[in-house]
Structures are given as C-alpha cells and as structure tokens.
C-alpha cells in the first residue's frame, strides 16, 4: 500500500504459492492485465482499490485463481463495463466472488453483461452522477444472480438526487437474496420503492430518511429487516407475517414502542433508540410467541409489568443501559426457563427481592454490572442457577458477600466482582465454586485476607486478579503477604499489586515485602516491651514508695546523730484538745520531762507537710506515739503517717512505735486498715481510761516506754528519782 510502483516483473510474487491475501492499494496500478499474480492459486482476497484502473476487463489468468472470493476495485476510474470484460466470469461459473465497484464513475453497463453470472456480494455505492444513469446501469445488470446486493452512496460522496419510487425498478430483472441500501440524501416516502424487492429474504436500510415512510405491510415476504439510523420519529407500523429477524437501532431518542404484528418473529433488536415501554414484556407486544432473541439495550424507561407471558422460548435477553422499573417487585423472569443469556447491566436496578432471578434454571451468562443491592450486601439470589458459567457483578457498590451467596453456582467458570468496595478477601463464599476458572477482584478496597480462609480457594482456579486494592503491608498480615508470593502464577499481574499502607511502603509492590522485617520487628518490639515494663514498674514503685525511699535516705543521714525529740506524735486534728491538755501537759511538764514533736508547733513553715513529717518528725525523734481513734482511722494523712512510721520502725531496727487507743474504736473502721488491725492484735498498746486509777497506770506505763533508750546524765537521774 502507498508505494509508487512503476513496474512489477513477472516473477515479483514467485514462490508465494500459499499467499491468500494481497493488498495493492494506491500503487499507481493502471491495469490488471500485466499484474503478475496468475500463479497464486491460493489467493482468496485481492484489493487493488484507490488506483488508476480504467478498464473492468478481467484478464484470462483469473481462471487460474479458483479460490478467489473477494475482489476490491473501488475508487478506480472504471467508467464503462462491457460483455467481453466479464468473459472469464462467464467461463468460470463456479467462482463465488464478492465484487466491490464503489466510487468508480460508472456511466454505462452493456445490457446482458452480467447475465448468467453469480456473485456472492456486489457493492455499488457512489457510482452514479444521476438517477437516470443509475436506472440505465441497473438495466445493464439484468440477469445477474447475487446473494447480497449493496446499493447506495457514502455519507460524504452523495450525487444522486430525485430518488423516486421508480429508481429501483430495474432490480426486478435481478435474482437477489439480500439487499442493502445506504446513505441516500433524499427522504424516501413511498414503500413502493421496494416493490421489486418483495421476494428478497433480507433487506437492510442504513442511514436513510424514512421518517415519512409509515411502515411495511404483509405483501413483503422479507424474513429479515434491518433499519439503522433511519430517523424515525415514530415507531414504524409493521405487519410482516413472514419476518423472522427485525433490527431497528440508532434512531432518534424518545420513541415510544408501538405494538407490531410479527407472528413469525424470532430475533428482535430494537436497541439504541431511547425507547420507552409502559409495560414489558409479553407476546402481545410483538404478536409472536416464537421470540428467541430480544435486545432492548440503550433505551429509556422500561416498566416491567409482565413476566414474559407467551415468550417462554426466549434464550437471549439484553436490557443493558436502559432504566428498568419494578424489576425487584416480583419474579419478573419466572417463566423464562429456556433463557441462556441475560444482561441487565447499568439498568439502575436495586436488588431487594431475593427471588428476582427465580425461574432462570437454564441461564448460562448473567451480566448485572453497575447496579446495587440492599445494604450493599450480596445475598443468596442465585438459587437453582446450576448452569451459570459467567457472572458479572462489577461496579455494584458491594461491601460484603454472604457466605451462601454462590452456593448454587457449581458450574460457574468466570466471576467478575471488580470495582466494588470489598474490604477483605473473604474466601469462604467461593468455597462451593468448584468449576471456577477466573476470579476478578480488582479495584476494590481489599486490605488482606485471613490466613485460615486461604485454603478454601477452588482448586480449579487458574486466574485471580487482585490488582488496584488497598493492601496493608504490615506484619499483622504477614501470612497473606507470604501467600501472595507463593501464588504468583495464580495471580494476574502480581507485580502491579501495590501497598497502600503504611506510608513508608506506599506504592511499593506487595512482592517486595520481606518477612525478615517482621522477625526483626518482633525482636525489637519484645525488647522494647520488656524495657517499657521494667521502667514502668520502677516508675510506679518509685511513685508509690517515694516517701519511704526519702525516709531511707534520711535514716542513713541521721543514724549517727542524737535525737532532738523523745517522740513524734501522730494524731487526728479532731483529737488535738486531748493531745494538748493531757499528753503534752503530762509529758513535757512532768518529771522527767519529755520533748515531743508536734506538727502545729515544731514543723518548719514553707516546707512540704510530707517533708516535715519525715525530716522533723521521724528523723529527729526516738519514738513515735500513734493516737488511735475513730477520727484517726478516717484521716488519710494519719494513715499515711502511720505507714511511714512502720517503714521508719523497720529501717531503724527498733521497737519505736507506741500505740495509744484513745477511745473505743469501731471495729468496722479498724478492719479496713488490715495491717493496723493485725498489729494491735499482736502487740501491747496503751488504752486511755479517764479515771484516777486508770490515769495513774496509763502515765506510768507511757513514761516507762519513753524512758527506754533515753540517755541520762547523773543530775537527771537524781531528779528522776
């Protein structure tokens, strides 16, 4: 193609004994006479279009091309066709040739030139300058037998005007089985135009203005009628009793379907018309009960008001890109037990009724992409569809698939569930799909799959597409990521499976994930956890025993020095009157005198209470006096001081705590302080009794306890005595 060839030697194509197709378009060819192809006995197709060939004379070597099926001479300069030009074809009646003479400026065809010749297909488009020339040339075709005759013009190559009903009269002298007419500029208003074609089996009208042509009636014996882009504003009236195949597509939007009378109809394609159906579908709509193929795709609103009564023989049904109403209100397809193919893709169907597909026991292909399900969950709506082999559920906004959704689909081989919102690869729903060969889960939001579910994949699965998902390449999903590596041969474009999280792995192939990272991470996490635990324990212990540690430090500091006080008094502020009037008066003013540490008198201002208790109270005192009362047991500060006192006694290794039970203590309160309760049960304590004898015994025993360990000077001893 496109080479400016000046000459071809006789042996140019020698050796190509098996050549079947030769294209020599735009090669400056002016004649077929010297074209060196006579030895190409296997040649089936010869295309010499767009050249300068001016004669239709077919050379004698064409008799040596017994397998030639297609000869394209379009867009040359052939003007006249004579009987002698077809001498080879008259001698070889066995040829079943398809001939294309379009775009040649034909002015004359000698009558009888084509008589007795049979073509499989003859194409004559944009050949005539006027209707009269066309009529004359049609007369020249008299006697021709042709399986399919293609007539008309091209959209940008229109010459014929005034196309009246007599324009095709000459076709009555031809034996035609199928006729196609395309791209006429004139509006065709009279069906009588086709009166010479009443006995053809099939007629195709493409890109014609048939708006004023009301319809076709029963005197036409057509078995197939195709009307494509014919500008109908109303659905045509059809009463064709012999019609078996009818196609009406690519017409103006907004047509309303009108009932037709086509009792023999088996194949109906009325797609891409913007048609609206107020009630669909039953045999009364088409006046036939023989329908096998029905295509209503790319139309307007179709209201499903009948369950195909009288159309039980349907095997192919297509609604895609039309808007279906009331589909999920009742079992619409219940009577279609012979249906093999159903396409309801992008029909705005929302599946609520679980019996929507009841009755489709023979269905093999189901396409329902672009629809939706209640709660975005796929339920078990495919019951008894044991023959289904192809299922398309893409773009259905699915977030979850129930485990029993595919239980009945034992024959399913291809499942497309891509472009949904699935978050995980749940394998259990696919467990029963023992014949599944291809599974497409791409373009979802799958993060990973649980390890225990991976074993349920059908053994028959050969192709699994998981690309364009939101994989989390983290150690938590280590088993799934390892499974991806192990199943590389099963996965489609495994290299295109990319990590989405974490951020440092975003955009990196899943196959690049390393398990050693997880092992290192586990070690680091374990060590970090131990360190964190130890530090936490230390912090908690330090926090809890801060004052005890502070006391320990003080004990080491003051262990060698003399005590400033004889006793540090722990008491409740509610008992301060007794401490001042009894304890202080009798011990500090008595003989011998004892120096007591009292918080209201001896604590240093500006220092924290806890610090004063430890530094002034415990560190500088030989003994500790604990005044136990109900008020004491209810005071948090008193209990705190008592606990510190116990630690102080333990660290100083001496019996330094003297308990004074001031009043009868409620046992319920005392038992709340378990250690104090046990200590009072095990040790001797002083009990205050406000009587002459009781007071005498109390003070004698208390002074004796305070004298224990108190250093004495000789003067002090004499005074004491």
């Amino acid at each position: 193609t496109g080479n400016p060839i000046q000459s071809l030697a006789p042996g140019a194509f020698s050796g190509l004994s098996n050549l079947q197709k030769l294209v020599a378009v735009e090669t400056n060819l002016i004649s077929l006479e010297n074209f060196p192809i006579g030895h190409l006995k296997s040649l089936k197709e010869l295309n010499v279009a767009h050249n300068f060939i001016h004669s239709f004379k077919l050379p004698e070597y064409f008799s040596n091309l017994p397998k030639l099926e297609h000869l394209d001479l379009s867009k040359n300069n052939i003007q006249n066709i004579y009987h002698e030009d077809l001498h080879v074809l008259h001698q070889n009646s066995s040829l079943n040739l398809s001939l294309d003479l379009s775009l040649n400026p034909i002015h004359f065809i000698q009558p009888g030139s084509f008589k007795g010749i049979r073509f499989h297909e003859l194409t004559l488009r944009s050949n005539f300058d006027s209707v009269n020339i066309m009529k004359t040339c049609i007369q020249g075709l008299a006697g021709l037998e042709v399986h399919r005759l293609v007539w008309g013009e091209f959209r940008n190559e229109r010459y014929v005007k005034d196309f009246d009903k007599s324009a095709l009269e000459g076709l009555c002298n031809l034996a035609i089985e199928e006729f196609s007419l395309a791209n006429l500029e004139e509006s065709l208003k009279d069906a009588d135009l086709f009166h010479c074609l009443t006995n053809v089996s099939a007629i195709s009208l493409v890109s014609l203005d048939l708006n004023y042509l009301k319809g076709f009636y029963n005197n036409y014996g057509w078995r197939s009628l195709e009307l494509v882009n014919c500008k109908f504003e109303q659905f045509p009236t059809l009463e064709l009793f012999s019609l078996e195949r009818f196609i009406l597509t690519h017409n103006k939007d907004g047509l309303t379907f009108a009932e037709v009378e086509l009792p023999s109809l088996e194949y109906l394609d009325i797609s891409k018309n913007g048609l609206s159906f107020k009630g669909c579908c039953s045999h009364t709509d088409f006046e036939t009960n023989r329908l096998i193929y029905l295509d209503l795709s790319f139309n307007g609103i179709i209201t499903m008001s009948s369950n195909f009564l009288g159309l039980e023989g349907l095997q192919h049904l297509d609604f895609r890109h039309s808007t279906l109403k009331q589909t999920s209100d009742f079992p619409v397809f219940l009577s279609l037990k012979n249906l093999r193919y159903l396409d309801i893709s992008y029909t705005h169907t929302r599946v609520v009724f679980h019996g929507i597909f009841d009755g489709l026991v023979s269905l093999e292909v189901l396409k329902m992409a672009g629809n939706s399900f209640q709660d975005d969950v796929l339920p078990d709506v495919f019951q008894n569809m044991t023959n289904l082999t192809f299922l398309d559920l893409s773009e259905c906004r699915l977030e979850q698939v129930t485990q029993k959704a595919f239980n009945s689909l034992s024959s399913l081989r291809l499942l497309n569930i891509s472009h949904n919102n699935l978050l995980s690869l749940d394998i259990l729903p696919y467990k029963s799909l023992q014949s599944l060969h291809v599974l497409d889960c791409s373009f979802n939001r799958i993060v990973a799959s649980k390890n225990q579910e991976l074993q349920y994949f059908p053994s028959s699965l050969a192709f699994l597409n998981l690309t364009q998902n939101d994989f989390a390449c983290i150690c938590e999903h280590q088993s799934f990521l390892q499974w991806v590596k192990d199943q590389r041969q099963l996965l489609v474009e495994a290299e295109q499976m990319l990590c989405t999280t974490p951020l440092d792995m975003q955009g990196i192939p899943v196959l690049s994930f390393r398990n050693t990272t997880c092992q290192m991470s586990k070690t680091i996490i374990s060590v970090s956890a131990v360190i964190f635990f130890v530090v936490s324990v230390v912090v908690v212990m330090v926090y809890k025993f801060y004052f005890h540690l502070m006391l320990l430090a003080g004990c080491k500091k003051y262990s060698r020095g003399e005590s400033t006080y004889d006793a540090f008094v722990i008491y409740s502020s509610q008992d301060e009157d007794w401490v001042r009037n009894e304890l202080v008066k009798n011990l500090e003013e008595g003989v011998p005198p004892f120096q007591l540490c009292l918080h209201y008198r001896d604590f240093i201002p500006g220092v924290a209470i806890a610090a004063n208790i430890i530094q002034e109270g415990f560190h500088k005192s030989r003994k500790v006096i604990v005044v136990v009362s109900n008020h004491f047991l209810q005071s948090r500060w008193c209990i705190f001081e008592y606990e510190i006192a116990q630690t102080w006694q333990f660290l100083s290794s001496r019996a330094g705590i003297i308990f004074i039970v001031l009043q009868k203590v409620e046992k319920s309160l005392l038992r709340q302080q378990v250690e104090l309760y046990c200590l009072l049960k095990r040790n001797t304590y002083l009990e205050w009794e406000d009587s002459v004898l009781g007071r005498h015994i109390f003070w004698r025993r208390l002074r004796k306890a305070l004298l224990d360990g108190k250093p004495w000077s000789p003067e002090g001893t004499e005074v004491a005595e």
Side-chain angles (χ1 to χ4, degrees):
T1 298
N3 286 289
I5 296 173
Q6 296 182 0
S7 65
L8 284 169
F13 301 117
S14 62
L16 302 177
S17 59
N18 293 319
L19 191 68
Q20 296 184 12
K21 181 176 181 177
L22 176 59
V23 180
V25 173
E26 294 183 352
T27 55
N28 295 333
L29 197 63
I30 60 174
S31 173
L32 292 175
E33 189 67 36
N34 297 319
F35 202 50
I37 61 172
H39 64 288
L40 302 178
K41 295 184 178 182
S42 297
L43 195 66
K44 292 184 177 181
E45 181 178 346
L46 176 61
N47 187 348
V48 288
H50 292 257
N51 281 294
F52 302 104
I53 299 172
H54 56 81
S55 172
F56 184 59
K57 183 175 178 60
L58 299 179
E60 289 297 324
Y61 64 73
F62 266 77
S63 60
N64 296 326
L65 306 176
K67 296 184 179 180
L68 191 64
E69 297 176 352
H70 186 89
L71 175 59
D72 191 345
L73 286 165
S74 62
K75 195 63 175 178
N76 277 280
N77 195 31
I78 298 172
Q79 300 183 25
N80 302 303
I81 298 176
Y82 301 100
H83 186 278
E84 61 182 19
D85 295 340
L86 301 168
H87 175 70
V88 174
L89 297 181
H90 283 289
Q91 288 184 329
N92 294 274
S93 58
S94 61
L95 280 177
N96 192 26
L97 192 64
S98 293
L99 176 62
D100 190 347
L101 292 172
S102 300
L103 297 168
N104 281 284
I106 298 175
H107 295 148
F108 173 74
I109 298 178
Q110 183 178 2
S113 298
F114 288 87
K115 186 176 182 179
I117 294 177
R118 176 175 176 81
F119 286 131
H120 178 73
E121 183 174 301
L122 175 60
T123 304
L124 291 164
R125 299 179 62 180
S126 297
N127 294 102
F128 313 110
D129 289 339
S130 67
V131 171
N132 291 330
I133 293 176
M134 184 182 73
K135 290 179 181 181
T136 302
C137 289
I138 290 177
Q139 295 298 330
L141 293 173
L144 174 67
E145 294 182 22
V146 59
H147 175 74
R148 179 178 175 83
L149 178 60
V150 180
W151 205 271
E153 299 186 297
F154 291 101
R155 187 178 61 181
N156 298 322
E157 301 281 348
R158 290 178 173 173
Y159 309 109
V160 177
K161 296 184 178 180
D162 302 322
F163 204 91
D164 56 25
K165 64 181 181 180
S166 64
L168 300 178
E169 279 186 354
L171 296 179
C172 291
N173 299 318
L174 278 68
I176 305 170
E177 294 181 31
E178 297 181 5
F179 178 74
S180 177
L181 183 63
N183 283 291
L184 292 181
E185 189 174 10
E186 295 287 316
S187 296
L188 303 183
K189 303 178 181 179
D190 196 338
D192 289 341
L193 173 71
F194 306 106
H195 76 278
C196 285
L197 300 167
T198 55
N199 293 321
V200 301
S201 62
I203 187 163
S204 174
L205 306 177
V206 180
S207 297
L208 302 177
D209 187 354
L210 300 181
N211 182 42
Y212 298 100
L213 192 65
K214 299 302 180 183
F216 304 96
Y217 300 96
N218 192 35
N219 58 324
Y220 297 102
W222 302 332
R223 285 187 298 165
S224 175
L225 173 60
E226 183 176 358
L227 305 173
V228 179
N229 189 26
C230 288
K231 302 180 182 178
F232 285 108
E233 293 185 357
Q234 294 182 347
F235 202 87
T237 303
L238 297 175
E239 295 180 5
L240 300 171
F241 295 165
S242 60
L243 197 67
E244 298 174 1
R245 184 173 182 268
F246 177 46
I247 298 175
L248 173 67
T249 63
H250 292 92
N251 284 284
K252 291 184 177 180
D253 289 346
L255 288 181
T256 301
F257 179 75
E259 292 184 1
V260 294
E261 191 171 356
L262 305 170
S264 301
L265 195 66
E266 296 179 359
Y267 184 106
L268 176 60
D269 181 356
I270 47 177
S271 61
K272 302 179 180 67
N273 295 304
L275 281 173
S276 296
F277 284 80
K278 295 181 179 178
C280 179
C281 296
S282 71
H283 69 287
T284 57
D285 296 328
F286 317 107
E287 288 297 328
T288 180
N289 56 7
R290 301 176 59 180
L291 208 58
I292 295 175
Y293 183 105
L294 177 58
D295 189 346
L296 297 172
S297 60
F298 295 92
N299 280 300
I301 297 175
I302 301 176
T303 303
M304 309 299 293
S305 59
S306 175
N307 56 358
F308 297 90
L309 185 65
L311 298 177
E312 292 82 1
L314 268 177
Q315 296 182 15
H316 184 108
L317 183 58
D318 192 345
F319 285 110
R320 60 198 160 115
H321 290 279
S322 297
T323 301
L324 296 184
K325 299 288 187 181
Q326 301 179 9
T327 312
S328 196
D329 292 356
F330 64 101
V332 176
F333 311 108
L334 186 62
S335 61
L336 299 181
K337 301 186 185 303
N338 296 307
L339 197 68
R340 303 284 190 274
Y341 180 100
L342 175 61
D343 192 342
I344 56 171
S345 303
Y346 305 98
T347 55
H348 303 93
T349 298
R350 181 168 179 79
V351 178
V352 178
F353 175 50
H354 287 195
I356 182 173
F357 299 123
D358 284 356
L360 299 176
V361 293
S362 301
L363 196 68
E364 297 175 1
V365 176
L366 175 57
K367 298 180 180 180
M368 52 183 307
N371 293 301
S372 62
F373 291 82
Q374 188 177 24
D375 300 325
D376 297 326
V377 175
L378 180 64
D380 183 11
V381 294
F382 309 113
Q383 299 176 13
N384 301 318
M385 298 172 68
T386 55
N387 292 308
L388 197 68
T389 60
F390 182 101
L391 177 58
D392 186 357
L393 293 168
S394 58
E395 296 189 76
C396 287
R397 296 180 287 182
L398 289 171
E399 296 180 0
Q400 184 181 350
V401 178
T402 59
Q403 293 189 8
K404 296 183 179 180
F406 306 124
N407 276 7
S408 302
L409 308 183
S410 56
S411 301
L412 193 68
R413 290 183 55 81
L414 188 148
L415 174 59
N416 184 358
I417 200 166
S418 63
H419 294 85
N420 282 291
N421 297 318
L422 300 178
L423 296 175
S424 65
L425 184 60
D426 295 327
I427 312 302
L428 289 176
Y430 313 111
K431 182 179 179 181
S432 59
L433 302 178
Q434 297 305 315
S435 301
L436 192 65
H437 192 68
V438 178
L439 175 60
D440 189 349
C441 294
S442 60
F443 291 92
N444 276 278
R445 297 165 58 194
I446 295 173
V447 175
S449 174
K450 297 180 181 178
N451 182 36
Q452 61 268 29
E453 293 179 351
L454 296 174
Q455 58 183 314
Y456 292 115
F457 261 130
S459 58
S460 60
L461 193 64
F463 301 97
L464 173 61
N465 193 342
L466 293 175
T467 57
Q468 301 297 326
N469 277 286
D470 298 339
F471 296 113
C473 297
I474 56 179
C475 295
E476 180 183 348
H477 304 312
Q478 180 180 357
S479 58
F480 170 73
L481 298 172
Q482 182 60 45
W483 178 85
V484 170
K485 294 180 182 179
D486 297 339
Q487 301 295 327
R488 287 187 65 174
Q489 293 182 344
L490 173 67
L491 297 168
V492 177
E493 297 182 347
E495 297 79 7
Q496 301 302 318
M497 295 172 59
L498 306 179
C499 301
T500 301
T501 56
L503 288 176
D504 59 335
M505 291 285 289
Q506 193 171 30
I508 296 176
V510 172
L511 296 174
S512 300
F513 185 82
R514 295 288 178 265
N515 292 334
T516 52
T517 306
C518 291
Q519 294 171 356
M520 292 178 59
S521 299
K522 287 179 180 178
T523 304
I524 294 171
I525 291 172
S526 300
V527 172
S528 301
V530 170
I531 294 174
F532 176 77
F533 176 75
V534 171
V535 171
S536 299
V537 170
V538 170
V539 170
V540 170
M541 296 298 289
V542 169
Y543 175 78
K544 184 173 183 179
F545 298 104
Y546 169 73
F547 296 109
H548 301 76
L549 295 173
M550 189 175 171
L551 184 63
L552 174 61
C555 286
K556 291 182 179 180
K557 179 179 179 181
Y558 296 101
S559 59
R560 297 182 181 179
E562 293 186 0
S563 299
T564 305
Y565 305 103
D566 292 301
F568 171 51
V569 184
I570 300 174
Y571 63 94
S572 169
S573 59
Q574 302 288 332
D575 302 320
E576 190 168 324
D577 289 342
W578 182 85
V579 172
R580 287 192 181 196
N581 298 330
E582 296 291 345
L583 191 65
V584 175
K585 185 174 181 180
N586 282 282
L587 293 182
E588 290 191 345
E589 297 178 6
V591 178
F594 297 98
Q595 185 64 37
L596 301 178
C597 179
L598 302 168
H599 65 80
Y600 70 85
R601 183 186 66 189
D602 299 310
F603 281 5
I604 300 173
V607 178
I609 295 175
N612 267 318
I613 290 172
I614 293 171
Q615 295 172 2
E616 294 299 319
F618 291 109
H619 289 164
K620 295 183 180 181
S621 302
R622 289 187 307 104
K623 302 282 186 178
V624 173
I625 297 175
V626 179
V627 181
V628 181
S629 66
N630 289 329
H631 301 304
F632 176 91
L633 295 174
Q634 294 173 344
S635 171
R636 292 178 63 188
W637 275 110
C638 291
I639 298 302
F640 168 73
E641 290 176 305
Y642 158 68
E643 290 177 350
I644 298 298
Q646 280 195 301
T647 305
W648 168 79
Q649 179 177 255
F650 172 76
L651 295 174
S652 61
S653 301
R654 56 191 175 188
I657 301 179
I658 303 171
F659 290 97
I660 299 175
V661 178
L662 190 59
Q663 58 191 20
K664 191 172 182 179
V665 179
E666 294 182 15
K667 288 187 177 182
S668 60
L669 291 174
L670 184 58
R671 284 173 180 165
Q672 292 178 7
Q673 305 299 326
V674 179
E675 292 183 9
L676 179 60
Y677 176 71
C678 295
L679 199 62
L680 291 176
K681 289 186 71 174
R682 291 197 310 266
N683 296 281
T684 303
Y685 58 87
L686 297 175
E687 193 168 2
W688 171 254
E689 187 177 340
D690 194 10
S691 63
V692 176
L693 180 59
R695 291 164 68 95
H696 174 73
I697 295 172
F698 175 83
W699 295 117
R700 181 171 62 82
R701 292 178 67 193
L702 180 57
R703 287 192 180 93
K704 184 178 180 180
L706 290 173
L707 286 171
D708 181 36
K710 180 177 174 68
W712 289 100
S713 60
E715 296 81 2
T717 304
E718 295 175 358
V719 173
E721 292 174 352

